[in-house]
Amino acid sequence: MLKERYPDRLIVLVLDNARIHHAKMVKEFLREEGQCFHFIYLPPYSPQLNPIERLWKWLKDTVIANVFHKDRNDIIQAITRFVNYIHERPEEVLQRLGCAG
């Protein structure tokens, strides 16, 4: 989809070092489509460079830490409330993730 949307551009993707990002199918993809894609891998064990890690921490601190959930449905509802909360407050999310001033 990226290649179709930006056919005349170099597309740079920043990836963490998850094993899946080094899988055989990824290497084959790059061999076939490599001219328009460039992957930059974050250093191993560098959660401070990956904003999604801050989102997971925020979710855990808000939904899981020091909270007793009576069942799976209660956990799902708490996560849904969290997701709705962050969707309504994009500026706060960017600030919490260190992506805005």
Side-chain angles (χ1 to χ4, degrees):
M1 288 172 47
L2 287 170
K3 186 177 176 180
E4 288 173 13
R5 185 161 182 163
Y6 306 104
D8 300 327
R9 295 203 177 147
L10 175 65
I11 300 165
V12 178
L13 299 172
V14 179
L15 307 168
D16 62 18
N17 264 292
R19 290 176 70 199
I20 189 68
H21 297 149
H22 297 279
K24 193 183 244 182
M25 67 185 282
V26 174
K27 291 177 183 173
E28 289 172 9
F29 170 82
L30 282 177
R31 222 178 351 268
E32 294 171 13
E33 307 289 342
Q35 295 78 14
C36 65
F37 287 96
H38 179 72
F39 287 1
I40 297 175
Y41 290 95
L42 295 175
Y45 310 107
S46 57
Q48 73 280 7
L49 299 177
N50 192 348
I52 195 67
E53 298 296 338
R54 286 180 231 137
L55 182 65
W56 293 138
K57 182 179 180 339
W58 185 12
L59 171 91
K60 288 187 274 185
D61 290 347
T62 303
V63 175
I64 298 169
N66 300 314
V67 178
F68 175 77
H69 294 283
K70 61 184 177 190
D71 56 27
R72 186 171 185 245
N73 189 48
D74 191 37
I75 295 170
I76 291 169
Q77 288 177 357
I79 291 170
T80 300
R81 282 191 301 274
F82 177 81
V83 169
N84 290 338
Y85 178 89
I86 65 172
H87 279 158
E88 294 169 2
R89 295 165 179 83
E91 289 300 319
E92 181 181 351
V93 172
L94 291 173
Q95 233 173 0
R96 294 276 304 245
L97 300 184
C99 300

